[in-house]
Amino acid sequence: MKMTLITELFEALTIFCFGLSWPISIRKSLISKTAKGKSLFFEVFLLVGYALGILRKFIQVTLLDCDGFIFYLGFFFYILNFIEIAIDIALYFRNTRLDRATQLLSE
């Protein structure tokens, strides 16, 4: 097995493992209907990080002729995680609005 294939496999598995937590976070945001305990700052940095990972993969595929199933699997996981974080950020803004409405009603 080539070393590049092994490193691509480790990258794909790393991104996959990171991505396992996002459906849980999205579910919690949907059910709780509150932004308490969430950090927009943290999630935006993660979103930027995944965007940079996607850009890296795009550069690899267009300029360096990288390809193969494992390579594209990693690419897919970057995109999936980016989408999941974007959904969680959208829910953060929804929940912040709900928090404000709840606060106004209780005053």
Side-chain angles (χ1 to χ4, degrees):
M1 197 179 277
K2 289 184 177 183
M3 188 56 70
T4 56
L5 181 62
I6 293 171
T7 58
E8 287 172 6
L9 179 61
F10 285 155
E11 179 185 25
L13 290 172
T14 300
I15 300 306
F16 172 74
C17 290
F18 288 157
L20 288 177
S21 63
W22 291 112
I24 296 165
S25 182
I26 290 168
R27 182 178 183 278
K28 182 181 175 191
S29 293
L30 281 169
I31 292 171
S32 71
K33 296 182 181 175
T34 182
K36 293 176 182 165
K38 290 285 193 171
S39 170
L40 180 61
F41 189 70
F42 176 74
E43 289 193 353
V44 167
F45 269 108
L46 288 171
L47 192 70
V48 169
Y50 283 119
L52 293 172
I54 292 167
L55 180 61
R56 176 182 173 263
K57 289 291 191 183
F58 184 74
I59 289 169
Q60 284 180 307
V61 78
T62 57
L63 300 178
L64 303 175
D65 294 327
C66 293
D67 65 354
F69 176 74
I70 301 298
F71 174 82
Y72 287 109
L73 188 63
F75 209 158
F76 170 76
F77 287 142
Y78 273 116
I79 292 168
L80 181 62
N81 288 354
F82 184 90
I83 291 168
E84 290 173 330
I85 294 171
I87 290 168
D88 207 34
I89 289 173
L91 288 171
Y92 172 87
F93 286 112
R94 180 201 74 160
N95 290 347
T96 300
R97 192 177 70 248
L98 291 174
D99 286 342
R100 274 189 253 132
T102 301
Q103 185 178 13
L104 287 175
L105 289 175
S106 66
E107 290 178 354

